[in-house]
Amino acid sequence: LFTRVPPIKKLFTKSSELWQAMQDRNDLLKDYLDQMDSAEVDVVLCPGQLLPAPPTGVMGDLMIPGIIPYIPWNLFNFPAGIAPVTRWSQDDADNMRHYPTSDLFERMIANTCDQGALGMPLSVQVVARPFRDEQVLKVLTELDEK
């Protein structure tokens, strides 16, 4: 298997197609915000990255798996920030023996975690609704104080 990461579905060649895609995005955003309202969610915590900080010069090779956690928030224009919360440990390294490697991106992540990741920071991403940057900063401050 090459990868499970979905391909780009469409390249826009007409402005009408782009406008329709923007409307589809706005509909998706409204639905997402409605779900956040019904669940009474103000801030989302999620992985800052899919792997520990990579060695110097490696991130270009990991572009797609490295940015996957950011794509939805960039698409929706949600404010977000990242803070280190722990470090890659020997237990993490040992557990990588059980990490799946059936597709290209899984193998890239597994190989990167095997290249000097011990002691590298692991982070959390804090995400809020549009124009609620202060909520992101408040949670990041609280994480920094701990």
Side-chain angles (χ1 to χ4, degrees):
L1 179 63
F2 183 67
T3 181
R4 286 186 194 86
V5 175
I8 295 173
K9 289 187 177 184
K10 179 162 183 65
L11 296 176
F12 304 108
T13 58
K14 299 178 183 167
S15 59
S16 60
E17 295 171 345
L18 179 59
W19 279 109
Q20 182 58 53
M22 294 300 291
Q23 183 59 51
D24 293 345
R25 189 231 32 189
N26 291 342
D27 293 343
L28 182 62
L29 172 59
K30 183 185 178 320
D31 183 51
Y32 194 87
L33 290 170
D34 288 346
Q35 289 183 42
M36 286 180 74
D37 286 341
S38 67
E40 298 181 2
V41 171
D42 293 320
V43 174
V44 176
L45 296 178
C46 54
Q49 190 165 286
L50 297 179
L51 56 153
T56 302
V58 173
M59 196 59 196
D61 298 336
L62 295 169
M63 190 60 181
I64 298 300
I67 66 169
I68 286 173
Y70 314 126
I71 292 172
W73 317 124
N74 287 332
L75 176 69
F76 290 158
N77 200 26
F78 281 21
I82 294 179
V85 291
T86 189
R87 295 193 176 274
W88 187 261
S89 69
Q90 187 59 52
D91 285 342
D92 295 319
D94 293 343
N95 287 331
M96 287 303 292
R97 289 188 305 248
H98 308 292
Y99 190 79
T101 56
S102 59
D103 81 18
L104 175 66
F105 293 118
E106 290 170 346
R107 287 190 296 277
M108 290 170 73
I109 289 170
N111 289 338
T112 299
C113 292
D114 193 31
Q115 298 177 17
L118 198 60
M120 296 303 285
L122 298 173
S123 60
V124 65
Q125 184 174 201
V126 180
V127 183
R129 299 163 181 266
F131 310 108
R132 301 277 175 89
D133 303 59
E134 72 281 357
Q135 290 177 328
V136 172
L137 294 173
K138 179 179 182 196
V139 173
L140 289 173
T141 300
E142 289 178 13
L143 288 170
D144 190 46
E145 292 172 353
K146 296 197 184 258

Coordinates of all heavy atoms in Angstrom, one line a residue, residues 3 16 25 31 45-46 51 58 75 103:
T3 N -0.2 4.7 0.3 CA -0.6 5.5 1.4 C -2.2 5.5 1.5 O -2.9 5.3 0.5 CB -0.2 7.0 1.2 OG1 -0.6 7.7 2.3 CG2 -0.7 7.6 -0.1
S16 N -16.1 29.5 -11.1 CA -17.4 29.0 -10.6 C -17.2 27.7 -9.8 O -17.8 27.5 -8.8 CB -18.4 28.7 -11.8 OG -17.8 27.7 -12.6
R25 N -17.1 24.5 1.7 CA -16.3 24.7 2.9 C -17.1 25.5 3.9 O -17.1 25.1 5.1 CB -15.0 25.4 2.6 CG -14.1 25.4 3.7 CD -13.5 26.7 4.2 NE -14.3 27.9 4.0 CZ -13.8 29.1 4.2 NH1 -12.6 29.2 4.6 NH2 -14.6 30.1 4.1
D31 N -21.6 23.5 9.9 CA -21.9 22.2 10.6 C -21.0 21.9 11.7 O -21.4 21.5 12.8 CB -21.9 21.1 9.5 CG -22.3 19.7 10.1 OD1 -23.4 19.7 10.7 OD2 -21.6 18.7 9.9
L45 N -8.3 20.2 22.0 CA -6.9 19.8 22.2 C -6.6 18.6 21.3 O -7.4 17.7 21.3 CB -6.6 19.4 23.7 CG -6.7 20.5 24.7 CD1 -6.5 20.0 26.1 CD2 -5.8 21.7 24.4
C46 N -5.5 18.7 20.6 CA -5.2 17.6 19.7 C -3.7 17.5 19.5 O -3.0 18.4 20.0 CB -5.9 17.8 18.3 SG -5.5 19.4 17.5
L51 N 4.4 13.1 15.2 CA 5.6 12.5 15.6 C 6.4 13.5 16.5 O 6.1 14.7 16.5 CB 6.5 12.1 14.4 CG 6.8 13.2 13.4 CD1 8.1 12.8 12.7 CD2 5.7 13.3 12.4
V58 N 15.1 16.8 8.1 CA 14.2 15.7 7.7 C 12.8 16.2 7.4 O 12.0 15.5 6.7 CB 14.2 14.6 8.9 CG1 13.1 13.6 8.6 CG2 15.5 14.0 9.0
L75 N -8.1 25.3 7.2 CA -9.2 25.4 6.3 C -10.4 26.2 6.9 O -11.0 27.0 6.2 CB -9.8 24.0 6.0 CG -11.0 23.9 5.1 CD1 -10.7 24.3 3.7 CD2 -11.6 22.5 5.1
D103 N 1.8 1.5 5.1 CA 1.8 2.4 4.0 C 3.0 3.4 4.1 O 3.7 3.4 5.1 CB 0.5 3.2 3.9 CG 0.2 4.3 4.8 OD1 1.2 4.9 5.4 OD2 -0.9 4.7 4.9

